[in-house]
Protein backbone atom coordinates (compact mmCIF):
# COMPACT_ATOMS: atom_id res chain seq x y z
CA UNK A 1 0.00 0.00 0.00
CA UNK A 2 1.32 3.43 -0.94
CA UNK A 3 -0.06 6.93 -0.99
CA UNK A 4 1.33 10.23 -2.25
CA UNK A 5 -0.33 13.66 -2.32
CA UNK A 6 0.57 17.16 -3.41
CA UNK A 7 -0.63 20.61 -2.46
CA UNK A 8 0.58 22.40 -5.57
CA UNK A 9 3.45 24.85 -5.66
CA UNK A 10 4.54 26.90 -2.73
CA UNK A 11 4.57 30.32 -4.32
CA UNK A 12 8.09 31.51 -5.08
CA UNK A 13 6.89 35.05 -4.56
CA UNK A 14 5.75 34.23 -1.05
CA UNK A 15 8.30 34.38 1.71
CA UNK A 16 5.75 33.48 4.31
CA UNK A 17 7.37 30.58 6.16
CA UNK A 18 4.34 30.28 8.39
CA UNK A 19 2.12 29.43 5.41
CA UNK A 20 4.69 26.97 4.15
CA UNK A 21 4.83 25.23 7.53
CA UNK A 22 1.03 25.23 7.78
CA UNK A 23 0.81 23.56 4.33
CA UNK A 24 3.40 20.94 5.30
CA UNK A 25 1.58 20.20 8.56
CA UNK A 26 -1.75 19.92 6.74
CA UNK A 27 -0.23 17.59 4.12
CA UNK A 28 1.31 15.33 6.72
CA UNK A 29 -1.96 15.09 8.62
CA UNK A 30 -4.02 14.44 5.48
CA UNK A 31 -1.64 11.82 4.07
CA UNK A 32 -1.73 10.06 7.44
CA UNK A 33 -5.56 10.02 7.42
CA UNK A 34 -5.49 8.90 3.79
CA UNK A 35 -3.12 6.01 4.51
CA UNK A 36 -5.25 4.87 7.43
CA UNK A 37 -8.30 4.93 5.11
CA UNK A 38 -6.41 2.96 2.42
CA UNK A 39 -6.02 0.07 4.87
CA UNK A 40 -9.73 -0.72 4.51
CA UNK A 41 -10.63 0.90 1.17
CA UNK A 42 -9.68 0.66 -2.48
CA UNK A 43 -7.21 3.00 -4.19
CA UNK A 44 -10.16 4.62 -5.99
CA UNK A 45 -12.11 5.28 -2.78
CA UNK A 46 -8.94 6.53 -1.10
CA UNK A 47 -7.96 9.12 -3.71
CA UNK A 48 -11.50 10.57 -3.59
CA UNK A 49 -11.47 10.69 0.22
CA UNK A 50 -7.97 12.18 0.41
CA UNK A 51 -8.58 14.82 -2.26
CA UNK A 52 -11.84 15.81 -0.56
CA UNK A 53 -9.87 16.43 2.65
CA UNK A 54 -7.48 18.62 0.66
CA UNK A 55 -10.44 20.44 -0.95
CA UNK A 56 -11.84 21.12 2.53
CA UNK A 57 -8.63 22.81 3.68
CA UNK A 58 -8.56 26.49 2.68
CA UNK A 59 -4.76 26.57 2.48
CA UNK A 60 -5.01 24.89 -0.90
CA UNK A 61 -6.34 26.04 -4.25
CA UNK A 62 -9.13 23.47 -4.55
CA UNK A 63 -12.63 23.43 -3.06
CA UNK A 64 -12.87 26.08 -0.36
CA UNK A 65 -10.12 28.68 -0.72
CA UNK A 66 -9.85 28.32 -4.50
CA UNK A 67 -8.49 31.03 -6.76
CA UNK A 68 -10.95 33.47 -8.29
CA UNK A 69 -11.24 33.95 -12.07
CA UNK A 70 -11.01 37.40 -13.68
CA UNK A 71 -14.78 37.94 -13.52
CA UNK A 72 -14.85 37.39 -9.74
CA UNK A 73 -16.22 33.84 -9.90
CA UNK A 74 -14.68 30.62 -8.64
CA UNK A 75 -14.89 27.74 -11.11
CA UNK A 76 -13.63 24.37 -9.96
CA UNK A 77 -12.23 21.47 -11.93
CA UNK A 78 -11.50 17.96 -10.68
CA UNK A 79 -10.96 14.53 -12.12
CA UNK A 80 -10.53 10.95 -11.17
CA UNK A 81 -9.03 7.94 -12.93
CA UNK A 82 -9.44 4.36 -11.90
CA UNK A 83 -6.35 2.44 -12.98
CA UNK A 84 -8.20 -0.87 -12.78
CA UNK A 85 -11.02 -0.08 -15.21
CA UNK A 86 -9.09 2.73 -17.00
CA UNK A 87 -12.15 4.96 -16.68
CA UNK A 88 -11.64 8.73 -16.39
CA UNK A 89 -14.27 11.15 -15.11
CA UNK A 90 -14.27 14.83 -14.27
CA UNK A 91 -15.93 18.19 -13.94
CA UNK A 92 -14.63 21.35 -15.58
CA UNK A 93 -15.41 24.87 -14.37
CA UNK A 94 -18.23 23.90 -12.04
CA UNK A 95 -19.57 26.64 -9.72
CA UNK A 96 -20.98 26.69 -6.19
CA UNK A 97 -20.14 23.20 -4.98
CA UNK A 98 -18.00 22.02 -2.07
CA UNK A 99 -16.24 18.89 -3.30
CA UNK A 100 -15.88 18.62 -7.08
CA UNK A 101 -13.94 15.36 -6.73
CA UNK A 102 -17.07 13.73 -5.26
CA UNK A 103 -19.02 14.79 -8.34
CA UNK A 104 -16.29 13.30 -10.54
CA UNK A 105 -16.72 10.07 -8.55
CA UNK A 106 -20.45 10.10 -9.26
CA UNK A 107 -19.80 10.52 -12.97
CA UNK A 108 -17.58 7.44 -13.12
CA UNK A 109 -20.70 5.27 -13.46
CA UNK A 110 -22.11 7.14 -16.46
CA UNK A 111 -21.49 6.94 -20.20
CA UNK A 112 -20.94 10.72 -20.27
CA UNK A 113 -18.12 11.09 -17.80
CA UNK A 114 -16.71 14.62 -18.20
CA UNK A 115 -19.13 17.52 -17.73
CA UNK A 116 -18.49 21.25 -17.76
CA UNK A 117 -20.06 24.44 -16.45
CA UNK A 118 -23.82 24.60 -16.01
CA UNK A 119 -24.35 21.00 -17.11
CA UNK A 120 -21.95 19.82 -14.42
CA UNK A 121 -23.71 21.97 -11.83
CA UNK A 122 -27.14 20.68 -12.82
CA UNK A 123 -25.88 17.09 -12.61
CA UNK A 124 -24.47 17.82 -9.13
CA UNK A 125 -27.72 19.37 -7.89
CA UNK A 126 -29.70 16.41 -9.24
CA UNK A 127 -27.40 14.14 -7.25
CA UNK A 128 -28.06 16.13 -4.06
CA UNK A 129 -24.89 18.24 -3.90
CA UNK A 130 -25.97 21.44 -2.20
CA UNK A 131 -25.05 25.07 -2.92
CA UNK A 132 -21.67 25.99 -1.43
CA UNK A 133 -19.73 29.22 -1.87
CA UNK A 134 -16.00 28.36 -1.92
CA UNK A 135 -14.79 31.99 -1.73
CA UNK A 136 -12.89 32.74 1.49
CA UNK A 137 -12.26 36.24 2.85
CA UNK A 138 -8.57 35.74 2.15
CA UNK A 139 -9.12 34.89 -1.53
CA UNK A 140 -11.58 37.75 -1.90
CA UNK A 141 -9.11 40.30 -0.56
CA UNK A 142 -6.30 38.83 -2.68
CA UNK A 143 -8.59 39.11 -5.65
CA UNK A 144 -9.47 42.68 -4.83
CA UNK A 145 -5.81 43.59 -4.41
CA UNK A 146 -4.94 41.51 -7.48
CA UNK A 147 -2.16 39.96 -5.45
CA UNK A 148 -2.35 36.48 -6.82
CA UNK A 149 -1.40 37.60 -10.29
CA UNK A 150 1.99 36.53 -8.97
CA UNK A 151 1.62 32.79 -9.36
CA UNK A 152 0.18 31.67 -6.06
CA UNK A 153 -0.50 28.06 -7.02
CA UNK A 154 -1.81 25.26 -4.86
CA UNK A 155 -3.78 22.64 -6.75
CA UNK A 156 -4.17 19.31 -4.94
CA UNK A 157 -3.79 15.70 -6.02
CA UNK A 158 -3.42 12.15 -4.81
CA UNK A 159 -2.26 8.79 -6.14
CA UNK A 160 -2.86 5.54 -4.26
CA UNK A 161 -1.85 1.91 -4.65
CA UNK A 162 -4.06 -0.44 -2.64
CA UNK A 163 -3.57 -3.86 -1.10
CA UNK A 164 -4.92 -5.60 -4.21
CA UNK A 165 -2.37 -3.82 -6.40
CA UNK A 166 -4.84 -1.35 -7.97
CA UNK A 167 -3.91 2.26 -8.68
CA UNK A 168 -6.02 5.42 -8.85
CA UNK A 169 -5.35 9.15 -9.23
CA UNK A 170 -7.42 12.25 -8.44
CA UNK A 171 -6.68 15.96 -8.94
CA UNK A 172 -8.65 19.09 -8.01
CA UNK A 173 -8.06 22.77 -8.69
CA UNK A 174 -9.44 26.29 -8.61
CA UNK A 175 -7.27 27.09 -11.65
CA UNK A 176 -4.57 29.75 -12.11
CA UNK A 177 -6.38 32.74 -10.66
CA UNK A 178 -7.42 35.79 -12.73
CA UNK A 179 -7.75 33.66 -15.84
CA UNK A 180 -10.22 34.43 -18.64
CA UNK A 181 -13.59 33.11 -17.40
CA UNK A 182 -14.08 29.44 -18.30
CA UNK A 183 -10.42 28.85 -19.23
CA UNK A 184 -9.92 25.06 -19.03
CA UNK A 185 -7.38 23.73 -16.54
CA UNK A 186 -5.29 20.60 -17.13
CA UNK A 187 -6.56 19.07 -13.88
CA UNK A 188 -9.66 17.49 -15.41
CA UNK A 189 -7.83 16.25 -18.50
CA UNK A 190 -5.64 13.20 -19.08
CA UNK A 191 -2.63 15.53 -19.20
CA UNK A 192 -3.15 16.48 -15.56
CA UNK A 193 -4.44 13.23 -14.10
CA UNK A 194 -3.99 9.70 -15.41
CA UNK A 195 -3.80 6.12 -14.13
CA UNK A 196 -3.82 2.58 -15.46
CA UNK A 197 -2.69 -0.74 -14.03
CA UNK A 198 0.98 0.26 -14.36
CA UNK A 199 1.12 3.77 -12.85
CA UNK A 200 -0.85 6.77 -11.63
CA UNK A 201 0.10 10.45 -11.91
CA UNK A 202 -1.34 13.73 -10.61
CA UNK A 203 0.05 17.05 -11.89
CA UNK A 204 0.19 20.67 -10.80
CA UNK A 205 1.67 23.78 -12.41
CA UNK A 206 0.76 25.83 -15.45
CA UNK A 207 -2.11 23.94 -17.09
CA UNK A 208 -1.21 25.06 -20.60
CA UNK A 209 2.34 23.65 -20.17
CA UNK A 210 1.03 20.40 -18.69
CA UNK A 211 -1.36 19.99 -21.64
CA UNK A 212 1.42 20.83 -24.15
CA UNK A 213 3.57 18.16 -22.52
CA UNK A 214 0.65 15.66 -22.28
CA UNK A 215 2.37 15.04 -18.99
CA UNK A 216 0.40 12.54 -16.88
CA UNK A 217 -0.68 10.37 -19.83
CA UNK A 218 2.85 10.45 -21.26
CA UNK A 219 4.53 9.37 -18.02
CA UNK A 220 2.02 6.56 -17.46
CA UNK A 221 2.42 5.38 -21.08
CA UNK A 222 6.19 5.24 -20.65
CA UNK A 223 5.85 3.17 -17.49
CA UNK A 224 3.41 0.89 -19.37
CA UNK A 225 6.07 0.46 -22.05
CA UNK A 226 8.70 -0.62 -19.52
CA UNK A 227 10.30 2.53 -18.11
CA UNK A 228 10.71 2.85 -14.35
CA UNK A 229 8.54 5.61 -12.88
CA UNK A 230 11.61 7.77 -12.25
CA UNK A 231 13.00 7.30 -15.77
CA UNK A 232 9.57 7.95 -17.33
CA UNK A 233 9.08 11.10 -15.26
CA UNK A 234 12.59 12.46 -15.75
CA UNK A 235 12.41 11.96 -19.54
CA UNK A 236 9.01 13.65 -19.71
CA UNK A 237 10.25 16.58 -17.62
CA UNK A 238 13.33 16.91 -19.87
CA UNK A 239 10.88 17.36 -22.76
CA UNK A 240 9.24 20.30 -20.95
CA UNK A 241 12.51 22.22 -21.09
CA UNK A 242 12.19 23.23 -24.75
CA UNK A 243 9.30 25.52 -23.79
CA UNK A 244 10.28 26.08 -20.14
CA UNK A 245 7.23 24.12 -19.02
CA UNK A 246 6.23 24.73 -15.40
CA UNK A 247 4.98 21.54 -13.75
CA UNK A 248 5.13 19.23 -10.79
CA UNK A 249 3.95 15.64 -10.46
CA UNK A 250 3.45 12.93 -7.87
CA UNK A 251 3.18 9.30 -8.91
CA UNK A 252 3.20 5.65 -7.94
CA UNK A 253 3.89 2.62 -10.13
CA UNK A 254 2.36 -0.85 -9.75
CA UNK A 255 5.80 -2.02 -8.65
CA UNK A 256 5.42 0.28 -5.66
CA UNK A 257 7.84 2.95 -6.83
CA UNK A 258 6.85 6.37 -5.44
CA UNK A 259 8.24 9.46 -7.17
CA UNK A 260 7.74 13.20 -7.32
CA UNK A 261 9.37 15.82 -9.51
CA UNK A 262 9.09 19.56 -10.15
CA UNK A 263 10.46 21.76 -12.90
CA UNK A 264 10.63 24.87 -10.72
CA UNK A 265 10.85 25.31 -6.96
CA UNK A 266 8.85 24.01 -5.07
CA UNK A 267 5.88 21.68 -5.13
CA UNK A 268 4.68 20.73 -1.64
CA UNK A 269 3.97 17.03 -1.25
CA UNK A 270 3.79 14.20 1.25
CA UNK A 271 3.83 10.43 0.97
CA UNK A 272 3.04 7.43 3.12
CA UNK A 273 4.88 4.22 2.47
CA UNK A 274 5.22 2.55 5.86
CA UNK A 275 6.75 5.82 7.03
CA UNK A 276 5.52 9.36 6.63
CA UNK A 277 7.54 11.74 4.46
CA UNK A 278 6.70 15.42 4.02
CA UNK A 279 8.70 17.75 1.88
CA UNK A 280 8.51 20.85 -0.17
N1 LIG B 1 -2.70 23.21 -13.05
C1 LIG B 1 -3.62 24.18 -12.56
C2 LIG B 1 -4.18 24.95 -13.72
O1 LIG B 1 -3.47 25.32 -14.61
C3 LIG B 1 -3.04 25.17 -11.60
C4 LIG B 1 -2.13 24.58 -10.56
O2 LIG B 1 -1.74 23.43 -10.63
O3 LIG B 1 -1.78 25.31 -9.65
O4 LIG B 1 -5.33 25.24 -13.73
Amino acid sequence: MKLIIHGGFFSESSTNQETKKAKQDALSQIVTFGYEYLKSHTALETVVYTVSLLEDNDLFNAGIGSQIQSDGKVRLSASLMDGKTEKFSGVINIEDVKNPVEIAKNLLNYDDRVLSGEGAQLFARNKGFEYFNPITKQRQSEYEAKLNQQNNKGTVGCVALDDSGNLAAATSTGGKGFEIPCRVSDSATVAGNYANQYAGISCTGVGEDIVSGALAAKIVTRVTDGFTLKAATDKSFAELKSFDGFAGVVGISAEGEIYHCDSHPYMVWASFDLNLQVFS
Side-chain angles (χ1 to χ4, degrees):
M1 281 190 320
K2 318 248 167 182
L3 190 71
I4 187 163
I5 62 176
H6 70 76
F9 277 84
F10 182 72
S11 167
E12 289 172 78
S13 60
S14 169
T15 49
N16 186 340
Q17 288 305 314
E18 242 170 70
T19 309
K20 187 175 183 180
K21 167 98 176 54
K23 282 191 174 184
Q24 286 173 330
D25 289 349
L27 287 175
S28 71
Q29 195 184 49
I30 291 170
V31 83
T32 306
F33 285 155
Y35 193 76
E36 209 39 51
Y37 192 86
L38 183 58
K39 290 180 181 166
S40 53
H41 294 84
T42 65
L44 184 69
E45 289 163 342
T46 303
V47 295
V48 173
Y49 169 73
T50 309
V51 167
S52 74
L53 294 181
L54 289 160
E55 288 175 340
D56 288 345
N57 188 314
D58 66 8
L59 286 171
F60 303 109
N61 175 27
I64 186 162
S66 284
Q67 307 266 25
I68 301 174
Q69 298 193 339
S70 58
D71 61 352
K73 291 193 174 155
V74 168
R75 294 182 182 84
L76 305 171
S77 297
S79 72
L80 176 64
M81 187 149 180
D82 181 3
K84 191 177 171 189
T85 58
E86 297 192 23
K87 279 188 179 171
F88 179 97
S89 62
V91 287
I92 294 174
N93 285 323
I94 187 168
E95 291 179 43
D96 300 327
V97 294
K98 186 163 176 279
N99 293 109
V101 75
E102 301 272 3
I103 301 159
K105 184 183 170 205
N106 247 274
L107 279 165
L108 209 54
N109 305 318
Y110 285 79
D111 288 340
D112 302 335
R113 289 195 289 274
V114 182
L115 298 182
S116 68
E118 279 174 30
Q121 199 185 21
L122 190 63
F123 174 85
R125 295 286 179 261
N126 285 338
K127 291 283 158 203
F129 290 90
E130 283 168 11
Y131 173 88
F132 181 81
N133 176 3
I135 299 186
T136 56
K137 278 190 191 146
Q138 166 81 12
R139 288 294 185 219
Q140 185 64 35
S141 55
E142 281 174 3
Y143 173 77
E144 277 158 19
K146 295 206 180 255
L147 276 182
N148 52 5
Q149 268 168 341
Q150 301 170 15
N151 248 355
N152 184 14
K153 299 182 177 66
T155 291
V156 303
C158 177
V159 181
L161 172 66
D162 65 26
D163 240 357
S164 317
N166 295 316
L167 288 152
T171 306
S172 183
T173 191
K176 291 199 291 195
F178 289 97
E179 59 271 73
I180 297 174
C182 301
R183 168 252 181 198
V184 174
S185 152
D186 63 292
S187 301
T189 72
V190 297
N193 189 78
Y194 200 78
N196 66 9
Q197 53 181 300
Y198 297 95
I201 292 286
S202 168
C203 300
T204 181
V206 175
E208 287 69 8
D209 294 352
I210 293 166
V211 167
S212 298
L215 202 54
K218 189 191 275 183
I219 295 171
V220 171
T221 302
R222 283 190 162 134
V223 175
T224 306
D225 289 345
F227 280 66
T228 64
L229 180 61
K230 179 179 183 320
T233 307
D234 291 349
K235 186 168 170 60
S236 306
F237 268 72
E239 290 165 0
L240 293 178
K241 285 195 181 134
S242 56
F243 54 93
D244 192 27
F246 189 124
V249 304
V250 295
I252 304 180
S253 74
E255 316 266 282
E257 193 186 348
I258 291 200
Y259 194 55
H260 70 97
C261 186
D262 47 23
S263 63
H264 294 70
Y266 300 98
M267 177 184 63
V268 285
W269 63 277
S271 70
F272 216 119
D273 170 15
L274 297 181
N275 294 309
L276 170 68
Q277 285 193 58
V278 190
F279 289 106
S280 66

